[in-house]
Amino acid sequence: MDLAWDLAGLSLLPEFAFVRAGAQTRGRGQFGRAWVSGQGNLMATVRLPDGAKRLEGLLSPALALVLAEALNRLGVPARIKWPNDILAENLKIGGILIETRGSVILAGIGINIQTAPEPGPAEKYFHIQAGCLQNFGVNLEPFGLWALFLENIRHRLPGLISDPSRVPEQALPFLAFRGEAVV
């Protein structure tokens, strides 16, 4: 994401252009949490269209919806843990980080394809444990999965931007823990 910001600052990252990493050792998640991921997983940052600002607080869920739809087409029972996590059978398989500077909006997307981080002490008791797509029989290369995601983002996001009220309505069937008591 830092490289994407550098490129955007030099006007070298147009809308829907992206940066993809082969491995990530100093990544960040929401609230500045560390996000480390090895070879074989997907870590990418895409510049979103300027019009995405219309979605405001619905931008993360809109992207989560677009990714969950693509994963479901692959046979992964993907769900959204509002607002920015992707789950499959209650395992966190990915997440989205939105950053905005001026008129530029970047979306960092991480999906565990081949490996997932080992749970730390807190994850064993207080957080959702991590999983990966291989747990669900999906063994795509990161670039192949990214191509599918990017196509879905380019195809679906403009419609959601044009009518932000559609995001909660369309995300509803994909919500994790809907109607369940969560402790």
Side-chain angles (χ1 to χ4, degrees):
M1 191 167 246
D2 291 335
L3 176 58
W5 278 121
D6 290 345
L7 293 169
L10 296 169
S11 298
L12 296 174
L13 195 70
E15 292 181 356
F16 297 111
F18 63 92
V19 173
R20 194 176 70 78
Q24 183 169 267
T25 58
R26 292 182 295 156
R28 62 183 172 275
Q30 197 171 24
F31 308 115
R33 292 185 183 118
W35 184 292
V36 176
S37 190
Q39 295 283 338
N41 290 333
L42 173 64
M43 291 103 6
T45 298
V46 61
R47 179 171 177 181
L48 299 178
D50 294 345
K53 282 189 185 277
R54 284 194 72 212
L55 289 169
E56 298 179 18
L58 293 174
L59 185 52
S60 285
L63 281 172
L65 168 63
V66 168
L67 301 181
E69 288 172 339
L71 288 167
N72 273 269
R73 285 197 310 271
L74 292 174
V76 177
R79 297 290 172 257
I80 302 165
K81 184 175 93 35
W82 196 275
N84 67 330
D85 289 337
I86 306 294
L87 306 182
E89 295 181 1
N90 296 337
L91 296 172
K92 181 176 176 178
I93 59 170
I96 300 162
L97 177 66
I98 303 292
E99 290 185 355
T100 303
R101 296 181 189 168
S103 65
V104 177
I105 305 169
L106 297 183
I109 298 170
I111 301 288
N112 299 329
I113 297 174
Q114 295 183 6
T115 62
E118 291 293 322
E123 284 85 5
K124 288 182 181 176
Y125 302 104
F126 303 111
H127 296 282
I128 295 172
Q129 290 193 11
C132 62
L133 293 182
Q134 277 193 340
N135 297 128
F136 303 95
V138 175
N139 192 17
L140 287 175
E141 291 298 319
F143 192 79
L145 183 61
W146 180 244
L148 175 67
F149 282 168
L150 189 58
E151 177 184 326
N152 220 36
I153 291 168
R154 290 179 69 102
H155 174 74
R156 289 279 286 129
L157 193 60
L160 296 172
I161 291 169
S162 70
D163 185 3
S165 67
R166 292 171 43 197
V167 174
E169 168 191 312
Q170 292 183 17
L172 195 61
F174 292 93
L175 292 180
F177 311 120
R178 186 171 157 227
E180 296 179 34
V182 178
V183 178

